[in-house]
Structure formats: structure tokens, C-alpha cells
């Protein structure tokens, strides 16, 4: 079975930027405006197997993303998670290292005539909140994040 | 107001081990057997402000913890999160960088005559699951993790 993260790395849809070791994609769900997935460019299953170079490169990604999201949309702080649960739904799993990045907001943000809110600010993210937006709006979010890096 | 993480760093209760930059504490709740908190030894508010040295040191912590939890209790994989939400419940916040580490299990584990389970393995962790255990059991968990590092 082909790894869906390796597939995404070839496709490059919704790519915001890439570094030597990581690619940063705008996530499908945008309940948290600017939510991203940060995917390692090689197929590697867990955090313990990251090289020093990949960690340092990741630290630069984190800095860039946090800086841009504050500047672009006024994000206040950020939730970073490395979970990898889905990979374990199947036996003989072969997971692919990635981070989830959720910017958090203390007020509503209007962008492209859409209001994004974060009613649970200062609390755990709510996985049931969904927000799907048109590709045109997604492209504008990507452009804005790139502009402010 | 004193930072509760700085206080904890001075107290050292439930300390498992420390490195140059981080201290690793057994978390209060043990619904996920071996759950830890990894706290930066200096007061620093976000991931963007970590130095390269702190990142590399953290990568060694992650390796050691994952290795030991697999060996100690048969953990299958791990959820790492850097959330920091609670700090933003107050205005004029002054957060202190820490990671939450949850080992995940595909079967029940018995330790010190207590059964620990993970009914949501391969799914997001359940924040409502609580498990408080006696200090004696906590000390045994800490010893076991140290032994296997």
C-alpha cells in the first residue's frame, strides 16, 4: 500500500513552502485559520528516528510559521502535535512522520469575506469543529502566509 | 505570580531524569501509563524561542523516553504535544515551554497489581480519562523507566 504522505509529497497540492527536510502544507480543515501539516520529506516512522539535521531544520520551520501566522492573521499562540494515531488503525503499519500545527486566536478574524473564530481559545483544540473552504480562499491563505514569512 | 513550572523545577517531585536543558517528570494523571511532562529548565514561552542546543537536547530526551517506555511497558507508539493553552487563561500571560508525552498501548498492561488500558489506541487521546495512583506506584513507575533507559 502506498503511503498517503509520500503521495502528498509528490502531488504538492496546497504546498506553502519547503525546506531541505520538510514540506509545509495547508491542512484541509481550516477551523483554526492557517492550520498546517508539516511532513518529513523522507519516509520515517517516528520522532526517535529524526536526525539532528532534521530537528534543526524543523526548528526553523516552526519559527517561520509562527512568525508568519502572527503577522498574517494575528494568531496569539500555537498548538503543535505529533500524534501518528491513524497509522496504527492497520496492522503491519508503516507510519510517516508529520506534525499538526494549529494557530489559535483570541478574537474573530475576517479573511476573504469569511469569519474564522476560535471559541475555545486557551483550551484544548476541538477536533469536532470543521471548516471547509473553497480552493480560491485556500490559495489566498497560502499566499498570505508566504508573503509574511 | 510565580510560574508553576518554575516551581516544579525547583521541587523536583516525580522527576524521572534531567538533561542539560530539560527535566522529565512523571505526570499526575496516569491513564496513559508512563505519561510524562518534559519541561524546559529555563523560563521561555514558546517553541520559536528554543535554541538549537535545546532542540538537539530535546531530541535525545525523546529517544531515551520512547526507548524506555517500549522496553518498560510495551508501549507501541507515542503522542507528543506542545499546547500551552492553560497559560492563556489569564491576561498578561508568561508561559513556560513544556511537552506532553503520552505512551500508547495496543493491549492491557498490569503493573504493581494495577491494570492500565488504552481503549482508544490508534485514535486521539481521550482527555476525560483519568487515573490517579498511589505515590508508591508512581515511584515504581519512575524506577522502571529509569532502569530501562
Amino acid at each position: 500500500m502506498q503511503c498517503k504522505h509520500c503521495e502528498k509529497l509528490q502531488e504538492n497540492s496546497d504546498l506553502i513552502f519547503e525546506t531541505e527536510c520538510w514540506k509545509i502544507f495547508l491542512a484541509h480543515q481550516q477551523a483554526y485559520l492557517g492550520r498546517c501539516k508539516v511532513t518529513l520529506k523522507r519516509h520515517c516512522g517516528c520522532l526517535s528516528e529524526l536526525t539532528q539535521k532534521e530537528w534543526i531544520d524543523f526548528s526553523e520551520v516552526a519559527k517561520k510559521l509562527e512568525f508568519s501566522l502572527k503577522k498574517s492573521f494575528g494568531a496569539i499562540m500555537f498548538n503543535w502535535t505529533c500524534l501518528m494515531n491513524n497509522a496504527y488503525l492497520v496492522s503491519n503499519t508503516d507510519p510517516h512522520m508529520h506534525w499538526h500545527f494549529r494557530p489559535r486566536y483570541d478574537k474573530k478574524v475576517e479573511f476573504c469575506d469569511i469569519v474564522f473564530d476560535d471559541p475555545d481559545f486557551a483550551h484544548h483544540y476541538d477536533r469536532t469543529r470543521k471548516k471547509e473552504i473553497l480552493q480560491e480562499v485556500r490559495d489566498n491563505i497560502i499566499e498570505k502566509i508566504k508573503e509574511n514569512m
Side-chain angles (χ1 to χ4, degrees), chain A:
Chain A
M1 196 181 64
Q2 171 71 332
C3 163
K4 68 172 185 168
H5 297 282
C6 286
E7 267 177 20
K8 178 85 178 171
L9 286 167
Q10 291 193 314
E11 250 181 50
N12 282 335
S13 56
D14 291 321
L15 180 71
I16 304 174
F17 70 106
E18 67 181 295
T19 61
E20 196 178 340
C21 308
W22 302 87
K23 281 192 180 181
I24 296 83
F25 299 100
L26 193 72
H28 182 67
Q29 290 295 339
Q30 288 293 307
Y32 298 94
L33 174 60
R35 178 176 168 178
C36 294
K37 194 174 274 187
V38 178
T39 305
L40 187 65
K41 281 160 87 166
R42 71 177 172 100
H43 186 86
C44 155
C46 72
L47 205 126
S48 283
E49 288 167 18
L50 291 181
T51 66
Q52 288 205 354
K53 187 178 163 186
E54 286 162 348
W55 276 110
I56 294 306
D57 198 41
F58 174 69
S59 77
E60 294 302 320
V61 168
K63 247 182 236 175
K64 272 190 185 174
L65 265 185
E66 292 195 350
F67 179 84
S68 174
L69 269 289
K70 281 182 183 176
K71 204 168 159 198
S72 298
F73 306 116
I76 298 294
M77 48 85 77
F78 308 92
N79 296 158
W80 286 93
T81 62
C82 175
L83 302 173
M84 316 285 285
N85 297 312
N86 284 351
Y88 290 83
L89 288 169
V90 294
S91 51
N92 295 321
T93 187
D94 185 18
H96 188 133
M97 184 53 223
H98 60 277
W99 295 90
H100 300 274
F101 168 74
R102 282 182 182 84
R104 304 296 305 265
Y105 300 88
D106 66 351
K107 55 177 87 64
K108 289 181 183 174
V109 182
E110 199 180 320
F111 184 70
C112 292
D113 294 326
I114 300 172
V115 176
F116 295 85
D117 62 349
D118 185 355
D120 305 301
F121 179 72
H123 297 275
H124 200 278
Y125 53 83
D126 179 355
R127 297 176 63 240
T128 65
R129 286 182 66 229
K130 306 280 178 200
K131 196 170 191 108
E132 296 185 27
I133 51 175
L134 293 176
Q135 188 60 45
E136 192 191 327
V137 180
R138 303 175 60 74
D139 292 342
N140 284 328
I141 295 173
I142 291 169
E143 269 321 297
K144 187 90 175 169
I145 295 173
K146 280 161 87 166
E147 254 173 55
N148 285 316
M149 269 190 326

